[in-house]
Amino acid sequence: MNALERTGAPWWVPVEAARPLRAEQLADAILERCRGEGPANCVNRCPLAVDARGYVQLTAEGKFAEALQLVRERLPFPGVVGYVCAHPCELHCKRIDEDAAVRIRDIKRFLAEHEEGAPRHILDCEPDRDAAVAVVGAGPAGLLAAHDLRRRGYRVVVFEREATIGGCLTHKIPSWRLPRAVVERDLSVIAALGIEVRTGIEVGRDTTLAALRQEFAAVLLLPGFAGAGRLLAMLDGEHPPAHGRLLPVDPATCATAWHGVFAGGDAVSGPATVIEALELGRRAAASAHRFLSGVDPNPDALQQRPLLWRLATDEAERLRRERPPVMLQPFAPPLDEVAVVEEAKRCLDCRCGLCVRDCEFLTAHCRSPKELARQVKAGVGGALKMVYSCNICSLCAEVCPVDLDTGAMLLAARQEAVRQGIGPLPQHKPIVSYFRAGIGDTFTLAMSEPGRQRSKRLFFTGCSLPAVSPRNTLAVYDELRRNFPGTGVLMFCCGAPAELIGMEAAFGQTCSAIQAHAERLGAEELIAACPDCAHTLKAGLPGLKVTTVWERLAGRWSPPALRSGERVSIHDSCKAHHEPATHDAVRTLLRGAGATIEDVEYAREKARCCGNGGMIYPVDPQLAQRITQRRADESPLPMVTYCAGCRAALAGRGKAAIHILDFLLSTGDIQAVARRKPTGSIARYANRLRTKWAFRRLQPTAVR
């Protein structure tokens, strides 16, 4: 019978059914806040979601033609918008934190005007559909709606009261603000797409809404403000009561009270900027497409997405640095090639992917943590291998600008898998057996310091150190007893194997058993030999003080200076990310032995996993080996570890790796010791028994 079974609840008992689904909650946080799929603030705040970050970066590289085509993917009128856009994209540009926003609108204008010859409009369309749509109004809203619907495959007919198209672009905005040649060049896309335009046709005079509804599958009413009043008057008797002479519509879907009739532009919102009119036209076209496809309207179309990139500058200073749009003055001289490249280079390229670049697991499974979050939301049963292939090392959280921890989501997903009875996986059987041995009577020991009835603190050996080196385990305990009289011993599994494969109930019961042993012996502190144990104990037993052997002994213990002149690197444990005292203590001990330390790039709080973390090896051994190799390749020097499991992982890939106690205490050649093969599984069990028996034979310090 093991310690957990004595509590009356075996390890497979699930936690209470009412527990919130933390995996889904963490997935929601990633989907909401992760920057991995963008957008940058400039794209977020663009009403048309033009990829400003992308085309500015291409401009910085001198790729003007490619940049312009990227603009055209979302905006067929780049020249017009380059002159008269109110540039909301610039309002929260991260460059404001340094000086002022990148001049995104002016870069767009340059791209449009730099193009020589006929414009390279994007004209590819979806296959023709058996439906025709009428668009009333050939201003910015109507023309963009017609463009979008034609590219969706609909036959589109535009009705315009004036003799020419363009609306406010040609009849309201003066040419000293918007050159007519720019308008004509951009609007040539309408004819190029094969959109039929009937000018000189006024709805209500030359045709009726009823006739349009009979002829067309959908009708979009998108007149400019000047024509909105006349349109409403001519529709009098056909439409529901207007409010302030504006056509009442659903603000999100642009749907009117008539079936299949949508409206937007000045007739709905009143006077608006060109970019606002374009956005309304696009929204009306999208709603018409959903209607014609038999899809429900999108009620969230107006909801603004939260900014993913926060400004450090306060709002008052942001407003002071803002470049307000000036529409009542002649347009400024354009940027030249040199100036536009220099301006584009001011862009901070607000995109992320830091966690994916730093993590072999993420690189193998996604382009962004959002992809994994969607899989978790869809149900852990369909992604079990992915869920169980993460090291749970938290490096993703360390490098994430908004502190998102993908590993925490996947750990919660493992717990959900266990609750559903589909986890742990069959490959985890050896881990479960190892864990059960680590809490069973055969391999565990809880005792006060020899000669004492109670101990204020306990040396928590964990499983790994006794399994690879009984001698070093006893040597450390001797130093602890000498420096901290009254230190007892607790040989017990910390519960990390159970926790990491999602066995939440078993982990909780392990913590309860450890707590019970500590209370029986009068202990208030656990001194862990393993950083993984220290991390796990701190999380599971917040009522106990938990420190590491290295913190306790640094500055007190002076091991023999056997390593004078040795150059080494340090493999910090990924479980010690937030333990600067542990990092410093290890380095103090190594320098005290005469070593020269050359830190690797991913040290201390950014330490990479050794490859064995998260119990991933049985699930994806190839991935585990790649992770280990990547860590090993960070330094040509021997790596000193302070986790026996980390040393085994690195040595298993042929890396010269040495546990800190072997480095400090072994009299052999460091290279020979570092090249030793990892201890085999049978020997590990035998060593744990040897360690336990050796502890039992210890005498009180005074007797010795």
Side-chain angles (χ1 to χ4, degrees):
M1 179 179 291
N2 64 43
L4 297 192
E5 288 166 343
R6 285 196 293 272
T7 68
W11 65 263
W12 58 83
V13 173
V15 295
E16 62 277 11
R19 183 184 180 92
L21 295 176
R22 290 186 60 245
E24 288 194 11
Q25 294 169 348
L26 293 168
D28 285 337
I30 289 173
L31 290 172
E32 179 182 350
R33 299 173 54 218
C34 175
R35 299 172 179 174
E37 297 173 2
N41 288 358
C42 53
V43 182
N44 188 311
R45 284 298 182 257
C46 176
L48 300 179
V50 178
D51 186 3
R53 186 208 63 78
Y55 75 73
V56 170
Q57 286 298 309
L58 288 170
T59 302
E61 298 172 16
K63 298 177 180 178
F64 304 140
E66 294 94 325
L68 180 58
Q69 292 311 98
L70 185 58
V71 175
R72 283 186 169 131
E73 287 182 7
R74 296 287 301 171
L75 172 63
F77 314 129
V80 167
V81 176
Y83 272 89
V84 298
C85 183
H87 53 76
C89 56
E90 299 180 16
L91 298 184
H92 291 271
C93 171
K94 276 293 287 179
R95 184 73 196 201
I96 290 175
D97 282 340
E98 298 188 21
D99 38 45
V102 176
R103 293 166 59 184
I104 299 172
R105 183 189 70 185
D106 294 344
I107 292 173
K108 187 188 299 101
R109 173 185 162 187
F110 167 86
L111 295 173
E113 294 186 325
H114 184 268
E115 185 180 45
E116 297 180 348
R120 294 170 53 209
H121 297 306
I122 297 177
L123 304 176
D124 55 304
C125 300
E126 296 178 18
D128 287 346
R129 302 172 187 267
D130 187 22
V133 180
V135 176
V136 178
L143 292 177
L144 186 59
H147 164 275
D148 287 2
L149 288 166
R150 178 67 198 104
R151 292 195 63 196
R152 288 279 193 180
Y154 297 100
R155 184 174 71 85
V156 182
V157 180
V158 177
F159 295 85
E160 169 56 43
R161 180 175 60 90
E162 303 292 340
T164 56
I165 64 172
C168 69
L169 304 179
T170 53
H171 304 300
K172 187 175 181 182
I173 300 175
S175 59
W176 48 260
R177 180 66 222 174
L178 175 60
R180 293 296 173 261
V182 172
V183 177
E184 292 172 4
R185 183 178 179 85
D186 275 359
L187 299 193
S188 65
V189 69
I190 300 300
L193 280 169
I195 297 172
E196 181 182 352
V197 178
R198 300 178 186 177
T199 57
I201 303 293
E202 188 167 359
V203 177
R205 182 192 66 192
D206 304 302
T207 187
T208 64
L209 177 60
L212 294 179
R213 293 177 66 196
Q214 185 173 5
E215 181 181 354
F216 295 94
V219 178
L220 277 63
L221 302 175
L222 302 170
F225 188 70
R230 273 193 294 271
L231 175 64
L232 291 172
M234 286 182 282
L235 296 178
D236 195 23
E238 289 189 82
H239 69 87
H243 300 282
R245 303 312 294 171
L246 296 179
L247 188 63
V249 302
D250 183 305
T253 66
C254 300
T256 69
W258 298 294
H259 187 69
V261 178
F262 302 85
D266 290 356
V268 171
S269 62
T273 65
V274 170
I275 194 68
E276 289 169 340
L278 290 169
E279 189 275 332
L280 276 167
R282 173 154 287 169
R283 184 155 24 105
S287 292
H289 171 61
R290 294 175 72 89
F291 164 75
L292 294 170
S293 302
V295 179
D296 290 337
N298 178 14
D300 300 323
L302 279 178
Q303 289 189 0
Q304 192 172 60
R305 294 172 294 181
L307 291 171
L308 296 178
W309 303 80
R310 304 295 180 187
L311 297 186
T313 305
D314 62 33
E315 182 63 9
E317 180 62 16
R318 185 193 72 78
L319 290 172
R320 191 186 72 79
R321 298 181 185 184
E322 180 180 312
R323 183 171 72 106
V326 179
M327 298 299 173
L328 300 180
Q329 297 178 8
F331 54 81
L335 298 171
D336 59 27
E337 287 193 23
V338 174
V340 80
V341 169
E342 288 304 309
E343 183 62 24
K345 285 182 177 178
R346 296 179 61 241
C347 174
L348 299 177
D349 193 13
C350 297
R351 57 178 174 176
C352 201
L354 294 174
C355 60
V356 177
R357 290 198 293 273
D358 277 341
C359 175
E360 290 286 335
F361 160 72
L362 290 174
T363 300
H365 286 274
C366 66
R367 291 169 296 178
S368 158
K370 286 188 173 183
E371 294 180 22
L372 305 189
R374 293 186 192 102
Q375 292 182 54
V376 169
K377 291 274 289 182
V380 296
L384 280 178
K385 181 175 180 180
M386 178 276 290
V387 166
Y388 276 106
S389 294
C390 172
N391 287 132
I392 319 292
C393 70
S394 79
L395 178 59
C396 54
E398 293 299 321
V399 301
C400 176
V402 291
D403 304 321
L404 292 171
D405 192 336
T406 303
M409 175 188 70
L410 297 177
L411 179 59
R414 296 177 188 187
Q415 295 167 353
E416 176 60 23
V418 173
R419 287 196 287 271
Q420 293 180 14
I422 55 177
L425 302 179
Q427 299 97 305
H428 293 128
K429 288 184 70 175
I431 292 173
V432 174
S433 297
Y434 186 83
F435 161 66
R436 289 171 68 82
I439 58 173
D441 290 342
T442 302
F443 296 98
T444 60
L445 174 67
M447 71 178 205
S448 295
E449 181 182 2
R452 298 173 183 263
Q453 294 298 314
R454 296 171 68 80
S455 289
K456 186 176 182 180
R457 61 188 65 84
L458 299 175
F459 172 38
F460 192 91
T461 68
C463 304
S464 293
L465 184 60
V468 300
S469 182
R471 183 183 64 180
N472 285 344
T473 308
L474 271 292
V476 166
Y477 182 53
D478 276 346
E479 287 299 326
L480 287 173
R481 282 206 290 169
R482 187 171 64 83
N483 286 280
F484 304 99
T487 300
V489 174
L490 182 53
M491 283 186 69
F492 210 82
C493 178
C494 66
E499 180 192 27
L500 290 170
I501 59 177
M503 292 162 44
E504 195 175 9
F507 174 61
Q509 292 161 8
T510 302
C511 292
S512 297
I514 294 171
Q515 181 74 46
H517 283 306
E519 291 175 356
R520 179 175 60 81
L521 297 172
E524 301 172 359
E525 178 184 359
L526 301 177
I527 305 175
C530 168
D532 198 349
C533 287
H535 170 85
T536 304
L537 294 170
K538 285 182 179 181
L541 295 162
L544 285 174
K545 180 181 179 181
V546 178
T547 54
T548 63
V549 166
W550 326 115
E551 293 170 77
R552 277 303 199 174
L553 292 182
R556 288 175 173 265
W557 179 33
S558 298
L562 302 174
R563 302 302 178 191
S564 180
E566 294 284 2
R567 293 170 57 244
V568 296
S569 59
I570 296 177
H571 166 75
D572 287 302
S573 169
C574 61
K575 293 302 183 182
H577 276 160
H578 301 290
E579 303 297 336
T582 301
H583 304 151
D584 292 342
V586 167
R587 286 157 175 80
T588 296
L589 288 167
L590 293 177
R591 291 191 180 103
T596 298
I597 300 167
E598 295 185 14
D599 269 331
V600 296
E601 178 183 358
Y602 288 85
R604 295 179 177 260
E605 71 279 357
K606 286 184 63 179
R608 282 189 173 131
C609 183
C610 67
N612 274 0
M615 306 297 156
I616 76 167
Y617 196 91
V619 179
D620 195 339
Q622 290 78 25
L623 174 61
Q625 290 167 9
R626 290 202 304 272
I627 294 168
T628 303
Q629 193 64 54
R630 183 174 183 178
R631 183 57 161 168
D633 290 343
E634 286 191 51
S635 173
L637 299 175
M639 275 188 168
V640 177
T641 77
Y642 43 99
C643 169
C646 291
R647 191 269 160 183
L650 292 165
R653 293 297 293 168
K655 175 66 178 176
I658 185 169
H659 189 271
I660 183 173
L661 290 176
D662 282 323
F663 186 85
L664 297 175
L665 300 175
S666 173
T667 57
D669 175 69
I670 185 175
Q671 289 291 339
V673 176
R675 294 291 180 185
R676 287 177 186 164
K677 292 183 179 180
T679 307
S681 58
I682 295 177
R684 291 173 68 90
Y685 282 108
N687 282 340
R688 288 162 73 180
L689 287 175
R690 291 190 186 100
T691 306
K692 177 179 177 178
W693 295 334
F695 275 132
R696 281 182 166 174
R697 291 194 298 267
L698 288 175
Q699 298 295 315
T701 304
V703 173
R704 294 191 302 163

